[in-house]
Amino acid sequence: QVQLVESGGGSVQAGGSLRLSCAASGFPYSFYSMAWFRQAPGKEREGVAAIEDDGSTRYSDSVEGRFTISRNNARRTLTLQMNSLKPEDTAMYYCAAAPSLIYGGRGLIANAYNYWGQGTQVTVSL
């Protein structure tokens, strides 16, 4: 049974940092594309950062240079280090997974991912 469990969310002031983690189980983690998405109230789910099985990464323009995605295949964990947080980063953050593609990557398209966690809330205040 596939499980993705996020942790690390919370409340922080603008300019602060948070580190999100996702613990994965029930699938061959090292062969999967992994990603972080977020959804704010009244808005569509947005891709934040993705990392492929080969370690290549992709970021949305809104977080490039502030967020860092990483994976530890031995521990089956996915991490999102978020620095210089802004109020517009406030959202529910979700971990997502899907089998890696032979060519290219799954990137930041929500429909490309099969499995989702329950989410962890991030709130950034002024």
Side-chain angles (χ1 to χ4, degrees), residues 5-19:
V5 181
E6 302 96 335
S7 62
S11 297
V12 64
Q13 288 191 322
S17 298
L18 282 174
R19 186 178 180 89

Side-chain angles (χ1 to χ4, degrees), residues 70-86:
S70 60
R71 65 189 296 163
N72 185 316
N73 288 341
R75 296 183 178 182
R76 304 174 60 88
T77 55
L78 180 73
T79 300
L80 185 69
Q81 177 66 43
M82 305 187 295
N83 299 327
S84 303
L85 283 161
K86 305 175 181 180

Side-chain angles (χ1 to χ4, degrees), residues 4 20 22 24 27-37 47-60 63 67-73 76-81 94-101 104-109 112-113:
L4 297 170
L20 304 184
C22 173
F27 61 95
Y29 181 80
S30 62
F31 298 103
Y32 271 54
S33 301
M34 301 295 297
W36 288 99
F37 288 79
V48 174
I51 185 165
E52 306 299 336
D53 60 344
D54 64 0
S56 59
T57 58
R58 177 175 291 187
Y59 297 91
S60 67
V63 307
F67 291 11
T68 302
I69 189 172
S70 60
R71 65 189 296 163
N72 185 316
N73 288 341
R76 304 174 60 88
T77 55
L78 180 73
T79 300
L80 185 69
Q81 177 66 43
Y94 298 91
C95 173
S100 296
L101 300 174
R106 293 193 177 269
L108 300 176
I109 307 300
Y113 291 85

